Amino acid sequence: VIVAGVQPVQAKNSVTSATIKDMENQISKAEKEMKELKNSLSDVKGLVKKLENEKSNLKNYVEQLDATLAVVEAKIVDLEGQITEKEADIADTQKQLEEAKNVEANQYESMRKRIKTSYETNEYHVLEQILSARSFHDLLNRITYEEEVVKYEKQKLDEFIANKEYIALCEKQLQVEKEYLDAVKVSVQNEQAAVEELIDVKRVEIEKYENNISTQEKAIKEYEADIAEQNEIIKQLEKAVEEEKERIKKQNGLVLTYDGGTFHFPLESY
């Protein structure tokens, strides 16, 4: 039977209930909140990824600094070895210089005494050589010998003086080299201190990144928990809506709706 002004509607589309509408509003609200939570979760995950990349870059930089520091420390060790060798060379050279000075002084004293004695006894010495010579040739040989001895002693004295001066120059050169190595060592040590300070700064930054990442990861877990909770609420509401619809169907049967009210079948007058 068709009643004028009334249109038949499928039961599942015609079920109306304030409770259902209220629950559907709650579902819509929960879905909106879950969407916002997912967006926030996505933002936080993006931030964590960015922080992880920045931390990774910092760690790579610190590794490079560690390698640089290792090179600098190796330089310092090498310089310390060179300085130790130079100090040993200087000590050895100073010893040689002292010995050369003593030899020079002894040679000079010996030569001075010989010249003095020769001068003081020159007349007697010459007369003795003349009288004791077996021949004129022998006399010339003795005089030549004396001259050669004096010449040799002077030559040796000159050599000792030259050697002493050379050793003194060597000592001076070694001192200059040691001063240079000391200066280089100070420079490298300053470089080491600067690198170590920079490493400490970057490690502090890494620690801050790690703390920030830890905080954000905690936030991710909280967002995930909230999303799971909202998802469960939505499921429960959807289940409640379906149960409410089923209850109304069972209670009312087929329902037709129009602007003036609701008709139920079967009608008593028919």
Side-chain angles (χ1 to χ4, degrees):
V1 178
I2 299 176
V3 181
V6 177
Q7 298 296 327
V9 182
Q10 296 295 328
K12 63 179 181 179
N13 293 327
S14 61
V15 174
T16 60
S17 168
T19 303
I20 291 176
K21 287 183 178 180
D22 180 61
M23 285 188 291
E24 286 176 341
N25 288 335
Q26 290 182 47
I27 290 172
S28 178
K29 182 180 178 182
E31 286 176 341
K32 183 179 178 181
E33 290 179 358
M34 187 167 69
K35 184 177 179 181
E36 291 175 354
L37 286 170
K38 285 182 176 180
N39 289 336
S40 297
L41 176 61
S42 179
D43 292 340
V44 173
K45 284 183 175 180
L47 176 59
V48 168
K49 185 176 180 181
K50 180 182 177 183
L51 291 172
E52 287 285 3
N53 289 335
E54 291 175 356
K55 185 184 79 170
S56 177
N57 292 336
L58 268 177
K59 282 188 172 181
N60 290 336
Y61 183 47
V62 169
E63 288 177 1
Q64 293 175 7
L65 290 174
D66 285 334
T68 301
L69 182 60
V71 172
V72 171
E73 290 173 344
K75 283 183 182 178
I76 291 175
V77 172
D78 180 60
L79 285 169
E80 288 175 344
Q82 292 184 50
I83 290 171
T84 300
E85 290 179 2
K86 288 298 176 186
E87 289 173 343
D89 290 343
I90 289 171
D92 185 56
T93 302
Q94 287 174 339
K95 183 179 178 181
Q96 293 179 33
L97 181 60
E98 192 63 31
E99 291 174 355
K101 287 178 180 179
N102 291 334
V103 170
E104 178 195 355
N106 293 335
Q107 184 70 16
Y108 177 78
E109 183 64 21
S110 175
M111 187 174 177
R112 188 187 68 80
K113 288 180 180 180
R114 179 181 290 278
I115 292 173
K116 180 181 178 182
T117 302
S118 177
Y119 178 79
E120 291 175 349
T121 61
N122 186 49
E123 292 182 0
Y124 172 79
H125 184 63
V126 171
L127 180 61
E128 181 186 11
Q129 285 187 339
I130 293 173
L131 294 176
S132 61
R134 294 189 297 271
S135 64
F136 181 71
H137 181 69
D138 183 36
L139 176 61
L140 290 177
N141 286 339
R142 291 189 180 190
I143 293 173
T144 302
Y145 173 76
E146 291 291 336
E147 291 176 349
E148 289 295 329
V149 169
V150 173
K151 182 180 178 181
Y152 173 78
E153 289 182 344
K154 185 177 183 306
Q155 179 183 345
K156 294 303 292 182
L157 179 60
D158 291 341
E159 290 176 0
F160 289 136
I161 293 173
N163 187 54
K164 180 197 72 174
E165 291 175 351
Y166 171 73
I167 294 173
L169 287 174
C170 289
E171 180 189 21
K172 186 176 180 180
Q173 178 64 27
L174 289 171
Q175 290 286 3
V176 170
E177 291 175 1
K178 181 179 179 298
E179 290 173 1
Y180 168 75
L181 289 173
D182 286 337
V184 173
K185 180 182 176 182
V186 170
S187 176
V188 175
Q189 285 176 330
N190 291 338
E191 183 181 357
Q192 178 189 28
V195 173
E196 288 176 342
E197 182 179 358
L198 186 55
I199 288 174
D200 290 340
V201 170
K202 294 306 175 184
R203 282 178 175 161
V204 169
E205 290 181 14
I206 289 174
E207 185 176 354
K208 288 180 181 179
Y209 273 105
E210 289 175 342
N211 291 337
N212 197 355
I213 289 170
S214 177
T215 300
Q216 299 305 325
E217 286 176 341
K218 182 179 179 181
I220 287 174
K221 290 181 180 179
E222 291 175 354
Y223 276 121
E224 289 174 341
D226 290 342
I227 290 170
E229 182 180 353
Q230 287 298 111
N231 194 43
E232 185 62 28
I233 290 173
I234 291 171
K235 286 181 180 180
Q236 291 177 2
L237 287 171
E238 288 175 341
K239 181 180 179 182
V241 166
E242 291 301 319
E243 290 176 350
E244 181 66 11
K245 286 180 178 179
E246 290 298 321
R247 186 187 67 79
I248 292 174
K249 284 181 181 180
K250 290 178 180 179
Q251 179 180 341
N252 298 329
L254 180 62
V255 179
L256 295 179
T257 62
Y258 77 112
D259 293 343
T262 302
F263 288 96
H264 298 271
F265 284 92
L267 298 177
E268 294 181 358
S269 59
Y270 287 83

